Every structure is written in structure tokens, then in C-alpha cells.
Amino acid sequence: MVKVYNMTVFERTIRSLLTAGIENIQVFSEKNSSKFAEIIEKKGPWSGTIKLLQSKDLESEIRNLKNVILMNQPLLVTPRYIKEH
């Protein structure tokens, strides 16, 4: 939940993913789950786009997805980087 210029790395990553056109974002977490849920709820339009799941659900959920970006650590990415890779 580190902040960079008044926004957490989580918020910045979500914003970059949305700007790049990614509309199905799943967050798997046990640590900081309540904090992630709080951030998601505050960002109204994100609510339908982001799904917060427990880490134990990761394996079963990933099997059903295509074109997955899996981030294990806080990472600042730009929309341009996402579109190019």
C-alpha cells in the first residue's frame, strides 16, 4: 500500500490496466484484502471491473482465462507498456 504521488501503487496499476483497455481485473490476496476492498469500493467505476478473490482461488480462476498478466509484487506499469507486451 505504498503511495506514490498521492496514489497507492495498487491504484496506479489498476488505472494503467484500465487505460490500456483491460476490463477484467482479478486481484488475489489474503494480505491487505480489506484495504484492497476499500480502495475498490471508493473507485465507483472500478467496482464492476475488479474482482477481489482469495489466493486459494488463483489456480482454478486462471484456468478459465486467456491473455493473463500475473503480477506478484507491486509494480508500476504504463498503459503503453501493457499494450506493447
Side-chain angles (χ1 to χ4, degrees):
M1 291 295 137
V2 174
K3 285 199 171 192
V4 177
Y5 299 111
N6 289 329
M7 223 186 287
T8 65
V9 172
F10 175 69
E11 290 171 297
R12 288 186 175 282
T13 300
I14 297 299
R15 181 167 288 177
S16 291
L17 293 170
L18 292 171
T19 301
I22 296 173
E23 298 176 357
N24 180 6
I25 301 167
Q26 296 185 10
V27 177
F28 296 89
S29 175
E30 293 187 19
K31 183 179 174 187
N32 294 325
S33 287
S34 61
K35 189 65 176 170
F36 287 135
E38 182 182 316
I39 291 171
I40 293 167
E41 285 177 24
K42 285 182 182 178
K43 307 293 181 189
W46 291 2
S47 308
T49 304
I50 302 173
K51 192 169 159 186
L52 182 60
L53 301 164
Q54 295 297 310
S55 296
K56 64 181 174 54
D57 300 320
L58 177 63
E59 188 176 333
S60 62
E61 289 291 325
I62 288 226
R63 280 190 217 138
N64 302 320
L65 299 174
K66 294 180 183 176
N67 303 320
V68 173
I69 297 173
L70 183 60
M71 294 183 212
N72 188 358
Q73 298 292 321
L75 179 65
L76 288 174
V77 292
T78 64
R80 181 178 172 185
Y81 178 85
I82 295 166
K83 287 179 182 179
E84 290 175 356
H85 296 87

